[in-house]
Amino acid sequence: QVQLVESGGGLVQAGGSLRLSCAASGGILSAYTIGWIRQAPGKEREFVATIIWMNGGTSYADSVKGRFTISRDNAKNLVYLQMNSLEPEDTAIYYCAARLVGRASASSTLYDFWGQGTQVTVSS
């Protein structure tokens, strides 16, 4: 029902910045929470940030608070993840995902729809 396509990943040096984009289509976005989830090699999936499409409310993992910002563009059906002060520990595949509002807590990695992911690599 909801299709998600990520873009904007790449290779950056520690301390640098990237902005990831998630293009959403095919659903009633007001019913969904959109999240960014990342997975590093050999690690479990990890909650990064969420935004409630309907009202713009946001949540962040403690590890990225103050460095990452999630936002949306209602007119373009886009969700962004602005990543500043990147660290090597941020290296991972970043996924955009969607779930019905209220289905799970903000930090949950349970989602109904997933994008294909975009690689972020931070070198030291």
Side-chain angles (χ1 to χ4, degrees):
Q1 183 177 358
V2 176
Q3 293 82 48
L4 304 166
V5 180
E6 304 96 333
S7 62
L11 173 65
V12 298
Q13 294 183 354
S17 297
L18 281 175
R19 188 178 75 164
L20 306 183
S21 297
C22 173
S25 63
I28 303 173
L29 295 181
S30 62
Y32 290 91
T33 294
I34 309 298
W36 286 99
I37 308 295
R38 67 187 182 186
Q39 186 167 27
K43 303 293 185 180
E44 298 295 323
R45 289 186 296 274
E46 178 187 23
F47 154 74
V48 177
T50 61
I51 186 164
I52 300 173
W53 191 268
M54 180 171 56
N55 61 20
T58 59
S59 295
Y60 296 93
D62 288 342
S63 60
V64 306
K65 285 181 179 178
R67 300 189 298 121
F68 291 10
T69 302
I70 188 170
S71 61
R72 77 195 194 290
D73 184 327
N74 288 344
K76 298 181 179 180
N77 288 350
L78 291 174
V79 175
Y80 303 106
L81 185 68
Q82 178 66 48
M83 304 185 294
N84 299 325
S85 301
L86 283 163
E87 304 167 352
E89 292 76 17
D90 297 315
T91 295
I93 300 174
Y94 283 70
Y95 297 92
C96 181
R99 63 169 173 250
L100 292 172
V101 169
R103 183 182 178 191
S105 64
S107 62
S108 174
T109 58
L110 177 65
Y111 285 88
D112 298 301
F113 305 99
W114 294 80
Q116 295 177 338
T118 186
Q119 177 71 49
V120 172
T121 302
V122 184
S123 64
S124 59

